Amino acid sequence: MLRHLTSAARGRMGGDRRTSALRRLALTAMAVTTAAATTLVPAVPAQAAAFKVLVFSKTAGFRHDSIAVGTQAIRDIGSANDFTVDSTEDSSAFNTSNLSQYKAVVFLSTTGDVLNDTQQSAFQSYVDGGGGYVGVHAAADTEYNWSYYGQLVGAWFNSHPAIQQATVRNEDRAHPATSHLGTTWSRTDEWYSYRTNPRANVRVLQNLDESTYSGGGMGDHPITWCHPQSAGRSFYTGLGHTQESYSDSNFRTLLLGGIKYAAKAANADCRPETGYTALYNGSTTGWQQAGPGSFSNSSATLTSSGGMGMLWYSTKQFGSYSLKLDWKLNGDSNSGVVVGFPATSDPQTALNTGHEVQIDATDSSDKTTGAIYGFKAADITARDAALNPPGQWNTYELLVEGERLQVWLNGAKINDFTNTDANRSLTQGYIGIQNHGSPDVVQYRNIRIKELTTVTPSPSPSPSPSPTPSTGSAPLRGVASGRCLDISGASQSNGAVVQIWDCNGRTNQQWATTSASELRVYGNKCLDVSGAGTANGTAVSIWDCNGQNNQKWRLNSDGTITAIGANKCLDVVGSGTANGSRLHIYTCHGGGNQRWTRS
């Protein structure tokens, strides 16, 4: 980062680093952590493995001849990466006691109806309670009559053409499953098409270029994706039909990254993402270097050298927006994202008039990763839980609304800052990334922005009292389904799935409207439009109440409920009426799947 230098510190231009002894200690510890996280090494029998994974490959329909080699490949991947693998085709393994020993369960080309109702319930509780799900290829051809599974896998199989070569576009190159790949990947496989496009409810990691093969038909064609599932995580890839896939090092690394994400051994931002415009995804058009040093540009990746300088997007100033970017440090390096500054050729002026969101592996709490440099430290506990170590990619979201700046790291909120400095303003300004100087090396990918049309007033720096309930807590019953608005698994975690379920009067179905136009459950969680999205199909979940427009709702006289920030209605996906059908927002049309009654 560009330090706010005192006169004494300016002479060395390095900022207030730790002593050399502490720095060497931090570097040593970090090198050990990075090597353990990224290097394929043989398992050491004398040590306990980091976690266990269950591979499940039962088939009640078509059986793939790649299952045996796939199971062995996952065993080999585990042996090389400090996790152990059990495999089974016995559905009775799906009970609460047995599942509790695993960090993730891999559905390897399962087909048909493979779990009974009791086993389904145990698995749903496992995932919603924090377990991981990994679906491979025909996992999408499974459990068509279980709506929860459809949500978990993301989309069900529809059809496929003959096995052939196609180009895979790697849409997200920060996720541990895809960060090793270039922007495109040509390979041969059996390419699934799906009954629905999952993009509105998942983070798409890879999509197919349908112009490179015959028999697509989806247009926008996701093929690999991930998403949070209540307190758990879900990862799916449609790749993996052929036996040859499992000897392909790129595909094996994709599987490793998906398993590590699902098992919470690596982090990624898997929230659905729509409506963003690329500022950098290979082209530096519109960017200018200020100050010394530079960024090289190769394989849609910017790599810093020298400094202290800043590469800034000079084409346009931004007001309220969501800025996302992927970054990776090389060791104990230093960088930052600078926002809200006027046009300048001097990077120090940018820091004196804007704010920097710090990227630094080691420093004082208000000057390390996630901090608003010199102003407010990140929530260190939340930051540490979400942070991938140097050598691995991370994703920032910087949400700027008026003078409020929120920082999200790999999908977890780690800072919430309100500017009160009269000499600085977040309401209009430019965006830049820093090259701090030798030997600091940082890389950036996929810098994208979504401008916001509404602005939420900045909150008080300290939590304010909860708005006064304007109605008592009561269920909201869907007119078409007769089922109640429900939190899956009675989870109270941020991001927990909102669905419909048989009305039962429990606390996870009790909703209160407040004077702030919120719909609250559990007293402190609000119905929330994911990522402040405004597009049709944007998922809804619950989140800590924060007063933003994506948590404001209007109950209309016709029974519809309007998301004020998006001007769209609360809608049951696909007009579903079954238990577990999810909720999203959609253009208001007054249908039964958009109307609700108090009961």
Side-chain angles (χ1 to χ4, degrees):
M1 51 129 295
L2 277 169
R3 307 269 182 192
H4 305 286
L5 299 173
T6 64
S7 58
R10 285 193 178 96
R12 55 191 172 93
M13 296 300 286
D16 45 347
R17 294 280 194 184
R18 300 186 186 277
T19 65
S20 59
L22 286 175
R23 183 181 175 91
R24 285 195 299 271
L25 180 61
L27 282 168
T28 301
M30 199 167 309
V32 172
T33 300
T34 304
T38 62
T39 304
L40 301 181
V41 297
V44 180
Q47 297 176 340
F51 58 91
K52 293 178 67 176
V53 167
L54 177 65
V55 174
F56 181 58
S57 55
K58 181 177 179 179
T59 54
F62 180 83
R63 185 168 182 85
H64 286 72
D65 64 8
S66 58
I67 287 176
V69 294
T71 300
Q72 185 58 49
I74 296 172
R75 288 187 184 278
D76 294 342
I77 292 167
S79 295
N81 291 275
D82 198 27
F83 64 88
T84 57
V85 176
D86 293 339
S87 63
T88 188
E89 298 199 348
D90 183 354
S91 300
S92 68
F94 285 75
N95 63 78
T96 299
S97 176
N98 186 56
L99 291 173
S100 66
Q101 66 182 304
Y102 300 108
K103 290 294 186 181
V105 178
V106 181
F107 277 51
L108 178 60
S109 284
T110 51
T111 54
D113 188 0
V114 292
L115 300 176
N116 65 29
D117 291 349
T118 301
Q119 293 156 358
Q120 289 175 358
S121 179
F123 188 53
Q124 178 172 345
S125 296
Y126 163 79
V127 175
D128 286 351
Y133 165 84
V134 176
V136 179
H137 194 58
D141 189 22
T142 303
E143 293 291 349
Y144 288 97
N145 295 317
W146 182 22
S147 61
Y148 175 83
Y149 185 83
Q151 297 162 12
L152 182 64
V153 71
W156 274 305
F157 164 78
N158 184 47
S159 63
H160 65 78
I163 296 171
Q164 58 193 295
Q165 188 177 64
T167 297
V168 179
R169 294 180 288 209
N170 298 305
E171 188 171 324
D172 183 318
R173 296 171 66 219
H175 195 283
T178 49
S179 62
H180 64 295
L181 297 168
T183 55
T184 59
W185 181 21
S186 182
R187 70 186 311 275
T188 297
D189 213 320
E190 181 182 76
W191 304 110
Y192 274 10
S193 292
Y194 301 93
R195 294 185 178 186
T196 57
N197 188 322
R199 185 176 292 275
N201 298 309
V202 302
R203 174 61 173 139
V204 176
L205 305 180
Q206 297 178 310
N207 67 78
L208 294 180
D209 182 348
E210 291 192 336
S211 70
T212 64
Y213 76 103
S214 300
M218 288 185 66
D220 175 28
H221 194 144
I223 196 69
T224 302
W225 56 78
C226 59
H227 66 94
Q229 177 67 36
S230 193
R233 294 177 175 184
S234 171
F235 173 89
Y236 170 80
T237 182
L239 283 59
H241 171 84
T242 65
Q243 293 188 33
E244 292 78 9
S245 292
Y246 296 91
S247 59
D248 177 350
S249 61
N250 279 328
F251 180 64
R252 288 166 73 107
T253 302
L254 182 143
L255 285 180
L256 170 62
I259 290 169
K260 290 180 69 173
Y261 164 75
K264 299 183 179 177
N267 295 305
D269 189 347
C270 283
R271 296 174 298 166
E273 183 175 309
T274 56
Y276 285 78
T277 300
L279 300 183
Y280 168 79
N281 202 13
S283 171
T284 56
T285 300
W287 292 83
Q288 294 185 26
Q289 179 70 29
S294 64
F295 282 88
S296 64
N297 180 25
S298 178
S299 189
T301 305
L302 295 168
T303 303
S304 71
S305 61
M308 302 170 68
M310 178 183 68
L311 185 67
W312 62 292
Y313 188 73
S314 60
T315 301
K316 184 178 181 180
Q317 296 187 65
F318 296 100
S320 293
Y321 55 87
S322 167
L323 174 71
K324 290 190 176 184
L325 46 81
D326 306 328
W327 56 267
K328 181 174 73 171
L329 291 182
N330 180 6
D332 184 18
S333 293
N334 187 316
S335 184
V337 184
V338 190
V339 297
F341 59 91
T344 180
S345 60
D346 179 5
Q348 187 62 51
T349 298
L351 280 185
N352 291 338
T353 53
H355 286 91
E356 181 188 5
V357 181
Q358 175 70 318
I359 300 172
D360 185 357
T362 59
D363 210 327
S364 58
S365 61
D366 66 334
K367 300 180 179 69
T368 187
T369 300
I372 313 302
Y373 185 83
F375 287 90
K376 185 175 182 180
D379 178 334
I380 298 299
T381 300
R383 192 280 309 274
D384 287 352
L387 181 65
N388 292 323
Q392 298 181 28
W393 287 92
N394 292 274
T395 298
Y396 263 166
E397 179 188 7
L398 310 184
L399 181 61
V400 175
E401 296 180 290
E403 296 292 352
R404 184 183 187 187
L405 168 58
Q406 298 175 73
V407 181
W408 301 73
L409 174 65
N410 295 325
K413 185 175 176 179
I414 62 169
N415 209 337
D416 194 336
F417 167 74
T418 300
N419 174 57
T420 58
D421 185 340
N423 296 316
R424 306 168 192 262
S425 179
L426 291 164
T427 58
Q428 195 77 357
Y430 292 95
I431 292 163
I433 56 175
Q434 185 192 58
N435 54 306
H436 185 267
S438 297
D440 298 302
V441 178
V442 65
Q443 293 182 302
Y444 289 95
R445 286 177 175 170
N446 197 12
I447 304 174
R448 63 266 194 207
I449 198 165
K450 178 163 65 175
E451 296 184 79
L452 306 180
T453 57
T454 58
V455 180
T456 301
S458 299
S460 166
S462 57
S464 55
S466 299
T468 304
S470 55
T471 69
S473 294
L476 286 167
R477 187 187 297 268
V479 169
S481 67
R483 292 187 165 89
C484 284
L485 196 65
D486 175 282
I487 309 305
S488 178
S491 173
Q492 298 190 29
S493 299
N494 283 339
V497 168
V498 179
Q499 60 184 11
I500 56 172
W501 202 265
D502 292 334
C503 299
N504 54 37
R506 295 173 184 164
T507 56
N508 63 319
Q509 293 185 354
Q510 302 295 317
W511 298 87
T513 58
T514 73
S515 58
S517 300
E518 300 163 328
L519 276 169
R520 289 197 174 213
V521 65
Y522 306 128
N524 63 349
K525 299 288 183 180
C526 279
L527 190 65
D528 178 289
V529 180
S530 297
T534 59
N536 280 343
T538 302
V540 298
S541 62
I542 59 168
W543 208 271
D544 293 334
C545 297
N546 55 36
Q548 294 183 56
N549 272 6
N550 64 314
Q551 293 187 352
K552 295 183 179 180
W553 303 85
R554 181 176 65 250
L555 276 64
N556 305 308
S557 59
D558 64 353
T560 58
I561 300 175
T562 302
I564 292 174
N567 196 32
K568 300 271 172 60
C569 278
L570 184 66
D571 178 287
V572 182
V573 175
S575 297
T577 59
N579 279 338
S581 297
R582 283 194 184 187
L583 280 294
H584 62 188
I585 57 170
Y586 206 86
T587 301
C588 298
H589 53 66
N593 67 318
Q594 292 188 349
R595 291 188 291 122
W596 307 84
T597 62
R598 284 281 185 185
S599 61

